[in-house]
Amino acid sequence: MTTEPTTHDDTRDARQTQQFETEAARQLRADGGRPATDADSGVAAERVVTDGGDASLPPVVVKVGGARAVDPAGAVADVAALVDQGRNVVVVHGGSTAVDDTLEELGEEPTYVETPGGVVGRFTDERTMEVFSMVMPGKLNTDLTVTLRNADVDALGLSGVDGGLLTGPRKSAVRVIEDGKKKIKRGDHSGKITDVNGALLETLLADGYTPVVTVPMLADDGVAVNADADRAAAAVAGALGAELVVLTDVAGVYADPDDASTLIESVSTPDEFDNLKNAAEGFMTKKVMAAKEALDGGAVKVVVADANADDPILSALDGDGTHIDASAVADPEGGSDADSDADGDDNDADETEVAQ
């Protein structure tokens, strides 16, 4: 089950709310590990940088939310500015609000569940998946691609199914809390992204395109399933060794979710990251989870910032928002706890895999 906020996505946030790796390492590994190392030297291999942009800077992956409170106009202008400067950019978008609106227009109620870990997300049954496929890659991705092209960006829309861009195991069951009790809820159409076709994205970037990516993903059983857009952006950022900017409707992560003056500006140590996780509530919990996955996967930095600020992406890259460095999730033992959300007793049920 996957979780990306819906209408309540970033709105709830407001309340609680460089190393480069080799061609062979472009695929995001299932273990979420850091960039591959040279077998002989043990040194992180140099990541291939595309010819389409400024080779001195990593790509920028921008996650644009789908909540009503998020205005994408500023992000579109900033993407155009970055591309004009020669920077490689990949846009990943959500859109659960539109999915919920469509379901309600059809006389159906969206279903949201809470996992034992406190993550709230969508339960995607078969009918919801049909609507999801119509709305996300059909309408929203097309609309955003058109908007970017009208801003002189050579945007190219993709779903996670296209070219096997986003793939991984399907999770047909999820652990949830119902009436105060832990239960296994089956029939979910969502999955966990473990592999990214980074070579496809790098080819497009090298040819001057700006990929506009959305879910669904392609599950290992050959079925298109829902996936969380924040975590999709994290997977893409990790595969490209990018800077990830996650845009929401608040200025970043707050130490006190109800007090904007308590913005956590910088996170660079594991202790500071623990404090960040403890401060995050509701849907912001998922964004912090995605930040860790991005950094574990090879991203350079993650910034959680306000989509409605002036020049939201440029200002985020320049210091606004909550900046999370790769050193914040470094394991002194050299390992990775990226899979700490493993399935446990039931291999078909994952309490973290709720989606947008």
Side-chain angles (χ1 to χ4, degrees), residues 93-95 99 132-141 214-215 356:
H93 71 84
V99 174
F132 190 89
S133 295
M134 289 189 295
V135 174
M136 294 290 285
K139 177 173 173 50
L140 297 184
N141 190 265
T214 189
V215 289
Q356 64 186 357

Side-chain angles (χ1 to χ4, degrees), residues 1-319:
M1 169 178 87
T2 46
T3 62
E4 200 218 332
T6 125
T7 300
H8 315 290
D9 173 300
D10 294 327
T11 306
R12 290 191 184 178
D13 288 345
R15 291 276 317 150
Q16 31 172 39
T17 97
Q18 251 77 16
Q19 295 160 329
F20 296 122
E21 100 187 74
T22 59
E23 174 85 17
R26 285 178 181 169
Q27 292 276 14
L28 179 68
R29 298 192 306 283
D31 62 2
R34 294 189 176 279
T37 57
D38 183 278
D40 298 322
S41 66
V43 178
E46 182 181 4
R47 182 183 292 277
V48 175
V49 181
T50 62
D51 296 330
D54 186 343
S56 67
L57 296 171
V60 177
V61 174
V62 180
K63 162 55 173 50
V64 180
R68 290 190 182 95
V70 174
D71 182 356
V76 168
D78 281 0
V79 170
L82 287 169
V83 171
D84 189 56
Q85 295 166 11
R87 195 83 182 262
N88 284 328
V89 181
V90 177
V91 178
V92 180
H93 71 84
S96 285
T97 296
V99 174
D100 285 349
D101 289 346
T102 304
L103 283 168
E104 291 169 4
E105 288 172 3
L106 295 172
E108 302 179 30
E109 286 292 326
T111 301
Y112 283 83
V113 296
E114 180 179 357
T115 72
V119 179
V120 176
R122 179 191 301 278
F123 185 84
T124 310
D125 59 19
E126 185 175 4
R127 177 56 175 160
T128 300
M129 189 63 220
E130 292 175 354
V131 174
F132 190 89
S133 295
M134 289 189 295
V135 174
M136 294 290 285
K139 177 173 173 50
L140 297 184
N141 190 265
T142 299
D143 288 350
L144 183 54
T145 300
V146 168
T147 300
L148 285 163
R149 294 194 67 85
N150 287 336
D152 294 327
V153 175
D154 202 358
L156 188 150
L158 293 167
S159 80
V161 172
D162 297 323
L165 179 59
L166 304 174
T167 58
R170 177 177 175 178
K171 294 293 180 182
S172 59
V174 63
R175 293 189 181 94
V176 302
I177 296 292
E178 289 184 359
D179 301 323
K181 298 179 180 179
K182 293 183 179 180
K183 298 181 179 180
I184 299 291
K185 190 174 180 67
R186 300 189 181 277
D188 194 39
H189 287 65
S190 58
K192 181 176 183 178
I193 299 168
T194 55
D195 292 283
V196 175
N197 188 347
L200 172 59
L201 293 174
E202 290 182 346
T203 297
L204 293 172
L205 292 169
D207 286 342
Y209 291 104
T210 296
V212 182
V213 177
T214 189
V215 289
M217 59 172 280
L218 184 64
D220 51 6
D221 60 356
V223 175
V225 296
N226 191 7
D228 178 59
D230 285 324
R231 299 174 82 172
V236 170
L240 294 178
E243 293 184 73
L244 172 60
V245 177
V246 179
L247 295 178
T248 181
D249 64 349
V250 291
V253 185
Y254 303 149
D256 178 351
D258 295 317
D259 186 353
S261 69
T262 64
L263 174 68
I264 300 173
E265 297 181 354
S266 178
V267 180
S268 59
T269 69
D271 285 344
E272 290 174 346
F273 190 79
D274 285 341
N275 292 335
L276 184 77
K277 288 193 296 183
N278 292 335
E281 295 181 1
F283 281 109
M284 190 60 82
T285 301
K286 185 173 57 60
K287 297 183 188 303
V288 172
M289 181 189 301
K292 184 182 188 316
E293 291 176 359
L295 296 169
D296 281 335
V300 175
K301 175 180 288 189
V302 177
V303 186
V304 181
D306 188 355
N308 300 317
D310 292 337
D311 305 322
I313 302 171
L314 298 178
S315 61
L317 294 172
D318 198 37

